[in-house]
Amino acid sequence: MKHYYGTEDGTGITVKIKGDKIKVQAGEGYCPNVKDLLILKDNGNGYFVKLKSYVLTEADQVFNLDYAALEYLYFAYKAILEKEG
């Protein structure tokens, strides 16, 4: 399954879901060498998350989010968007 979303800064992202893996990939407006922005892999209790860095001075961020934490982030971001809208 593949979804395309335009972002507020004028760039675009593609979200690809295949099995237990979700990839958020750079679309139009990003540097040509930037591809995967965020990779999530379902671990049965939540998601293993890898936030890619394309800056030489920063490492990729790797962490786990259980399903509840992911839901909390979703509702927090939804509230932020509703406040700004």
Side-chain angles (χ1 to χ4, degrees):
M1 186 179 311
K2 186 176 177 180
H3 304 274
Y4 178 81
Y5 301 96
T7 60
E8 289 185 12
D9 64 1
T11 58
I13 60 169
T14 301
V15 177
K16 295 180 181 178
I17 302 171
K18 186 176 181 181
D20 63 353
K21 189 179 274 188
I22 301 168
K23 287 186 176 185
V24 178
Q25 297 181 319
E28 61 190 44
Y30 283 89
C31 294
N33 63 338
V34 174
K35 185 172 181 179
D36 293 333
L37 302 172
L38 179 74
I39 301 169
L40 297 103
K41 184 168 180 11
D42 193 332
N43 63 25
N45 190 40
Y47 287 90
F48 172 77
V49 181
K50 184 174 186 180
L51 181 58
K52 297 282 290 179
S53 173
Y54 288 92
V55 179
L56 294 175
T57 56
E58 293 180 15
D60 293 345
Q61 296 178 42
V62 179
F63 53 94
N64 286 294
L65 284 174
D66 65 24
Y67 297 128
L70 188 61
E71 185 177 44
Y72 303 153
L73 284 172
Y74 168 77
F75 286 121
Y77 192 60
K78 186 175 176 181
I80 289 167
L81 292 177
E82 289 170 356
K83 178 182 174 188
E84 292 177 358

